[in-house]
Amino acid sequence: MKNLIDLTGKTILVTGASSGIGRQTAVTLSEVGAKVILTARREEQLIETMGMLSGSGHTYYPYDVCNLEGMEGLLKEMVEQNGRMQGMVFCAGIVDVRPCKQTTPEIMQRMMTTNFYSFFEMVRQFSKKKNCDNGSKIVVISSTASLRPCKGQGAYAASKAAIDASVLVFAQELMSRHININAVHPAMVSTPMAFSLPEENVNAVMSKQLLGFISTEDVATLNAYLLSSATDMITGRGFDIDGGWLCNE
């Protein structure tokens, strides 16, 4: 029987790989044959992720994606040491829940830099011919908040909506090289980030997310699928993995 998700021989970059969706994505990709390049701010946690990976040849690079100016050099170093890449999953990001009236320009700037500007610059650098092959695939973790935000998600929802809009543009501009780019829209995922939110916010979402908490394995499997050859004809799309959230509105 043919294995539809087989990434053997592919080198895949995963950002935000120190915990949560990013960590599990790295683990899952290694299980389906990929050579994984990990990056995140926290080196200790990256080393922990490295110990969870299957196979060999994986590497890690401690890096803060808010350092936009350094990304060109980071990608250069990665390619010099590992060769050109065939995929990327952008999982880095933060969440901040507060009323719009309390969302200062400084808070908004931090949210946009971490969630959106970093993604945009990473795709811009990754997609250069010297850094990735034709036919590469890019996946970014967006959110159902970009589609149907709740109270207190003004800055967060805006950053994710910006991601979705840019995915549509990148898809068109990268099509000549057959580079696919798609977004994944999780609702409440069982991660440390989710449990750091105010209890009332978690409860409000879970009251409508009738299938329960989404596991990181669920999201990671979808990410792996979108990186596989099974999705060669899919680009510029958003994939909801919401536990029933959107259809329960």
Side-chain angles (χ1 to χ4, degrees), residues 6-248:
D6 183 1
L7 300 180
T8 302
K10 306 289 187 182
T11 300
I12 311 293
L13 169 62
V14 179
T15 74
S18 58
S19 65
I21 293 172
R23 168 174 282 178
Q24 184 57 52
T25 294
V27 171
T28 298
L29 297 184
S30 74
E31 291 172 344
V32 293
K35 172 183 169 182
V36 188
I37 300 176
L38 313 178
T39 187
R41 289 184 297 112
R42 298 169 294 179
E43 184 170 11
E44 286 187 13
Q45 285 86 342
L46 281 176
I47 294 172
E48 289 177 4
T49 303
M50 287 284 290
M52 301 175 183
L53 303 182
S54 301
S56 60
H58 313 297
T59 55
Y60 74 91
Y61 297 81
Y63 190 81
D64 185 348
V65 294
C66 291
N67 178 11
L68 305 180
E69 294 77 13
M71 280 190 188
E72 182 175 10
L74 174 68
L75 269 291
K76 180 180 179 181
E77 181 181 1
M78 288 177 175
V79 171
E80 285 177 347
Q81 297 177 359
N82 303 278
R84 285 202 306 270
M85 294 173 273
Q86 292 77 46
M88 177 178 74
V89 187
F90 193 91
C91 302
I94 58 172
V95 62
D96 189 315
V97 176
R98 67 182 71 216
C100 289
K101 64 183 179 181
Q102 296 178 11
T103 304
T104 64
E106 290 76 18
I107 291 170
M108 180 63 81
Q109 180 67 35
R110 176 171 174 263
M111 183 68 68
M112 294 300 290
T113 299
T114 307
N115 289 0
F116 174 58
Y117 299 155
S118 60
F119 161 70
F120 196 99
E121 179 62 11
M122 187 67 82
V123 174
R124 196 175 76 86
Q125 296 297 338
F126 173 87
S127 60
K128 292 180 178 180
K129 291 182 179 180
K130 62 184 178 181
N131 291 334
C132 79
D133 288 341
N134 291 348
S136 292
K137 290 183 168 62
I138 301 168
V139 180
V140 56
I141 301 301
S142 180
S143 171
T144 52
S146 72
L147 307 171
R148 195 169 295 169
C150 300
K151 291 189 294 184
Q153 291 186 325
Y156 179 72
S159 69
K160 295 300 188 176
I163 285 174
D164 290 349
S166 68
V167 163
L168 289 169
V169 178
F170 275 125
Q172 296 172 71
E173 296 184 359
L174 297 175
M175 205 173 292
S176 63
R177 292 183 57 208
H178 298 278
I179 295 175
N180 299 43
I181 180 168
N182 293 289
V184 170
H185 297 138
M188 189 68 74
V189 181
S190 182
T191 64
M193 182 182 292
F195 291 114
S196 71
L197 297 172
E199 185 177 356
E200 61 185 276
N201 294 95
V202 175
N203 292 339
V205 172
M206 294 310 298
S207 68
K208 297 180 180 180
Q209 196 167 304
L210 300 183
L211 295 179
F213 271 110
I214 301 158
S215 72
T216 55
E217 289 86 351
D218 291 331
V219 183
T221 301
L222 177 55
N223 292 341
Y225 171 70
L226 291 172
L227 291 168
S228 75
S229 60
T231 61
D232 285 348
M233 292 296 109
I234 302 174
T235 193
R237 299 294 88 195
F239 291 80
D240 305 335
I241 178 165
D242 64 1
W245 162 260
L246 292 176
C247 67
N248 193 44

